[in-house]
Amino acid sequence: MEGTELAGKILSTWLTLVLGLILLPSAFGVSLGISEIYMKILVKTLEWATIRIEKGVPKESVKNSASVGIIQRDESPMEKGLSGLRGRDFELSDVFYFSKKGLEAIVEDEVTQRFSSEELVSWNLLTRTNINFQYISLRLTMVWVLGVIVRYCVLLPLRVTLAFIGISLLVMGTTLVGQLPDSSLKSWLSELVHLTCCRICVRSLSGTIHYHNKQYRPQKGGICVANHTSPIDVFILTTDGCYAMVGQVQGGLMGIIQRAIVKACPHVWFERSEMKDRHLVTKRLKEHIADRKKLPILIFPEGTCINNTSVMMFKKGSFEIGGTIHPVAIKYNPQFGDAFWNSSKYNMVSYLLRVMTSWAIVCDVWYLPPMTREEGEDAAQFANRVKSAIAVQGGLTELPWDGGLKRGKVKDAFREEQQKNYSKMIVGNGSLNSESN
Amino acid sequence: MGSRSSHAALIPDADSLRRETGFSQASLLRLYHRFRALDTNKKGYLSRMDLQQIGALAVNPLGDRIIDSFFPDGSLQVDFPDFVRVLAHFRPADDEDAGLRDPREPEPLNSRMNKLRFAFQLYDLDRDGKISRHEMLQVLRLMVGVQVTEEQLESIAERTVQEADEDGDGAVSFLEFAKEEEENGSGRQLVVSTTVCLKTQLPGRFLVLVISVWNYWKLLGIITTTAFIIVL
């Protein structure tokens, strides 16, 4: 009996601590600085680890590890690659340039590597990122073992509890608020509930978020677009402001959450059958933004999770609705934990487990000035413009490919461009007679 | 979790492949991961479609020809050893003196001759050992698309065949092709150099031991958490 009493006492003290130190400050949006201290210690440890690794490894490897990717690419344009000036004639060896480019693409292409986690330049003491690094010293291994103990036995239970509390509070709170009649009180309360619960959920991941340019935060009646890395993106954005989400109605836990939060404030959920009808989707979204009192819509135009090193093609459907677009760039710091959800490799539960056993989730969120579609610009060009703005701000590479890896129109246009370039070289200068191009 | 285990034991016949292709252990491992990544349905081999999914390859004017080189003799699948053998052609040529090599051993895959053979079969569709004017025209058409007229293309093809053809049979044989390239010295272009060997190291045995211990820790952590929640 004494054992259970003791266990009960420990549990209650622990819960009170959690309540006092984490839950209450979240409700008020205040931070006690505990996570900052944790981050400082973490950064110091990782720096020490990096120095140890660099000492233990021969000099040349360190120099070359800065390059991303496994092959040295010859990035010279076609003219140089074909070792020619304009108007030089076709040679048998011209085929070498194309075959080399082709083989480079087979060994490592820009798109497929975006669907696996980014590789780190220096090890961050997590086994899952240990592809390249070898045994260096006993001290490093000891620190690593200590890290494993801390992460799995101290941080993981804490985080799981917080996540549990956060989600149940969300469901209960929004259901309660949903009972009220529509009024400004209701919207204020629902905002409070949303913000508090999202803050708790982000704390459960040990998330440290830096917001930049808060003056451009999305306003009501607008559409917010952001690059997509994982489902966590939603929580990260909602910590700083409430949004109306768009998505498919799902079953299970997600479905319960969806049904609960739509009672408190108007999100836009579609049935699976409705999603196919693009006109219906556009109509409902248009109705939503026409109402100035409703929250801004949050959309991820890439349509799929990318590994946060690049931005892929934005689907133009979201840009045809009209209204003001508020772009947001999200960049995670991979040193502390990998937030990318590789949905083909991990299901939701293992993904959450991996995230909760990383050191922390550190990210930067930049709000960009609002954009609208200009005269004479079609939806696809507008989408590209927004995509470039986000890529530039977040320091991400811009890729024109479709994240769904579908063979679409954009591919032929690219191939024609290459063909055009090449033909200009061998024919353009009129080294042959008769008609020019 | 732990899907990226760096064990060379994953690769079948790793040693003989290494000797045959000349890739380092680390490069081979990387290429194996790449092979697995391209094999979307985990079939154990690659089909044409898997290679066509690579965006940058699909827009390459010679993309289809390059894919064909992986499927000789009408086969529909390429397994890892064949995949690596084709890629081995593009390793940087070894600098050692050709005279030191044992002449009884087969030529290394990345020798200059083998590189040129690879390029030759991009032209020679019917594998008869000669590039006819018709085959040259087809490759040219692939590279320029619709940008150039038929007459211009034909004259280019005619001129090229005439320049390279020495025995006057109206087609370019492999030897004539090789001679032409030797004069231009452009065989060096067929090189894709990897930085793999510099980056990848294999874990020491001690760390492997610690990793297996870690697997137990992981289990322990999950059990602790579940117990916590149940008690809660």
Side-chain angles (χ1 to χ4, degrees), chain B residues 2-20:
Chain B
S3 47
R4 281 273 222 166
S5 74
S6 348
H7 266 300
L10 291 171
I11 309 173
D13 305 320
D15 283 329
S16 61
L17 262 182
R18 250 185 33 230
R19 266 197 307 273
E20 198 184 332

Side-chain angles (χ1 to χ4, degrees), chain A residues 1 43 67 80 85 102 107 130 172 180 188 264 341 347 371:
Chain A
M1 290 319 283
V43 167
S67 67
K80 243 179 83 190
L85 316 149
V107 175
N130 182 22
M172 286 191 304
L180 295 174
W188 181 78
W341 182 31
N347 59 6
M371 294 175 156

Side-chain angles (χ1 to χ4, degrees), chain A residues 92 98 106 144 415 419 437, chain B residues 34 58 60 123 142 147 210:
Chain A
L92 279 174
F98 288 112
I106 291 182
W144 172 75
R415 189 191 279 220
Q419 287 170 333
N437 254 331
Chain B
R34 176 63 174 166
N60 188 317
Y123 281 106
L142 278 178
Q147 308 295 328
V210 179

Side-chain angles (χ1 to χ4, degrees), chain A residues 39-166:
Chain A
M39 293 302 293
K40 280 210 195 90
I41 300 177
L42 197 57
V43 167
K44 284 248 162 24
T45 320
L46 289 180
E47 274 175 13
W48 173 84
T50 316
I51 295 176
R52 295 288 309 189
I53 294 178
E54 277 177 9
K55 265 200 224 154
V57 161
K59 282 293 166 194
E60 354 158 319
S61 346
V62 172
K63 211 175 13 156
N64 281 304
S65 63
S67 67
V68 176
I70 66 173
I71 44 181
Q72 280 166 329
R73 278 183 189 262
D74 184 11
E75 296 289 355
S76 53
M78 197 187 286
E79 286 84 12
K80 243 179 83 190
L82 287 166
S83 68
L85 316 149
R86 294 215 153 255
R88 117 233 188 292
D89 296 328
F90 167 73
E91 281 177 33
L92 279 174
S93 54
D94 286 350
V95 78
F96 292 179
Y97 173 78
F98 288 112
S99 47
K100 175 171 160 169
K101 285 286 164 209
L103 263 293
E104 275 176 0
I106 291 182
V107 175
E108 178 181 56
D109 77 308
E110 287 178 320
V111 172
T112 323
Q113 71 178 86
R114 308 296 172 185
F115 288 96
S116 62
S117 304
E118 187 183 354
E119 286 192 23
L120 297 172
V121 177
S122 116
W123 192 33
N124 65 346
L125 297 177
L126 293 176
T127 315
R128 61 191 69 132
T129 49
N130 182 22
I131 320 167
N132 292 344
F133 305 99
Q134 61 178 354
Y135 171 72
I136 301 287
S137 73
L138 189 63
R139 239 189 285 177
L140 195 64
T141 319
M142 283 299 119
V143 172
W144 172 75
V145 171
L146 188 67
V148 168
I149 298 176
V150 166
R151 277 185 296 125
Y152 277 86
C153 301
V154 174
L155 291 178
L156 182 64
L158 176 68
R159 287 175 183 169
V160 171
T161 325
L162 278 177
F164 202 63
I165 296 178

Side-chain angles (χ1 to χ4, degrees), chain B residues 131-178:
Chain B
I131 308 176
S132 66
R133 205 177 316 126
H134 179 66
E135 286 169 343
M136 176 91 55
L137 205 57
Q138 281 186 313
V139 174
L140 272 171
R141 180 54 72 192
L142 278 178
M143 290 202 274
V144 303
V146 299
Q147 308 295 328
V148 178
T149 64
E150 190 71 26
E151 297 87 39
Q152 281 175 314
L153 227 50
E154 273 182 15
S155 45
I156 296 177
E158 180 74 45
R159 181 184 55 78
T160 318
V161 171
Q162 270 178 359
E163 269 179 17
D165 188 16
E166 286 185 352
D167 55 9
D169 60 354
V172 182
S173 74
F174 178 63
L175 289 170
E176 290 161 355
F177 180 75

